[in-house]
Amino acid sequence: MRGAILSALLVTMLGVGVLAAGELEPVAPPGPTMKSLDEIPPTWSQTLDSTDGEPDGCNSSRFKCVLGGAAVLDMETGLIWERTPSNNYNQWLPSIDACLQKLVGDRGGWRLPRAEEIFSLIDRSSGLPRLPPSHPFTGLQDATCYYSTTTVATDATNVWGLSSDLLQNMHSPCQIPIAGGGFALFWCVRGGQGDAVH
């Protein structure tokens, strides 16, 4: 009697197990489980060498020239920058529109960068704020500021920008008036998580 109960219990458990398992054959082949380093998005936590590239600054560990050499992919952040920023002074709102309408390397999708994005180009390893050594950017203007979309928290009539002094190769944050005669340059970026003015 005890054996019959155990047998019935075992059959019941096995039957439930078979019913619960369902179809065991896969309906499609499994997807890839491994990615190359190029497929992993940047995390902003790495420091890459900008001096191990070609003489023009392209194809270092940090900077890759893309879109026929018209743009630069920053491997630290995943952002794509114009290789040669605009040298036309403009007010802030027209600069936002100019980036949105811009084609670089026959590609659209450009925008004015946020402050943290443009400041990510600053390298302080030498003690002074500079663009990374051997960078591939060209046509940067001396003694000017490049706009961001980020307003200054303590003075919303100004936006943050990146200033440049090519004679000393120094680049540091600056504040630019939004209206009332404020003029600066713009350096368009592609990718990232751009947002509206903030």
Side-chain angles (χ1 to χ4, degrees), residues 157-179:
T157 64
N158 289 329
V159 291
W160 285 106
L162 180 67
S163 67
S164 67
D165 180 350
L166 295 183
L167 298 178
Q168 300 179 35
N169 195 28
M170 294 177 64
H171 295 73
S172 57
C174 59
Q175 294 183 20
I176 311 162
I178 292 175

Side-chain angles (χ1 to χ4, degrees), residues 94-183:
S95 296
I96 292 172
D97 286 341
C99 281
L100 287 172
Q101 297 175 37
K102 188 165 222 148
L103 291 177
V104 177
D106 294 326
R107 294 294 183 270
W110 300 90
R111 60 182 173 81
L112 211 57
R114 298 187 323 242
E116 62 270 24
E117 293 172 330
I118 201 165
F119 294 162
S120 73
L121 293 173
I122 299 174
D123 180 347
R124 296 184 185 269
S125 61
S126 67
L128 294 173
R130 303 174 186 265
L131 287 180
S134 303
H135 67 79
F137 301 109
T138 62
L140 297 167
Q141 300 297 305
D142 190 18
T144 191
C145 286
Y146 292 90
Y147 284 118
S148 80
T149 58
T150 307
T151 54
V152 177
T154 55
D155 183 0
T157 64
N158 289 329
V159 291
W160 285 106
L162 180 67
S163 67
S164 67
D165 180 350
L166 295 183
L167 298 178
Q168 300 179 35
N169 195 28
M170 294 177 64
H171 295 73
S172 57
C174 59
Q175 294 183 20
I176 311 162
I178 292 175
F183 281 85

Side-chain angles (χ1 to χ4, degrees), residues 74-96:
D74 185 345
M75 299 295 287
E76 280 190 10
T77 62
L79 298 171
I80 301 173
W81 296 91
E82 293 179 279
R83 189 169 182 193
T84 304
S86 169
N87 60 7
N88 295 322
Y89 284 86
N90 214 340
Q91 290 186 312
W92 185 56
L93 289 174
S95 296
I96 292 172

Side-chain angles (χ1 to χ4, degrees), residues 38 46-54 57-64 73-77:
D38 290 336
Q46 49 193 333
T47 302
L48 300 176
D49 188 1
S50 61
T51 63
D52 62 350
E54 298 167 5
C58 291
N59 303 318
S60 66
S61 295
R62 178 164 182 184
F63 295 118
K64 308 289 182 198
L73 169 61
D74 185 345
M75 299 295 287
E76 280 190 10
T77 62

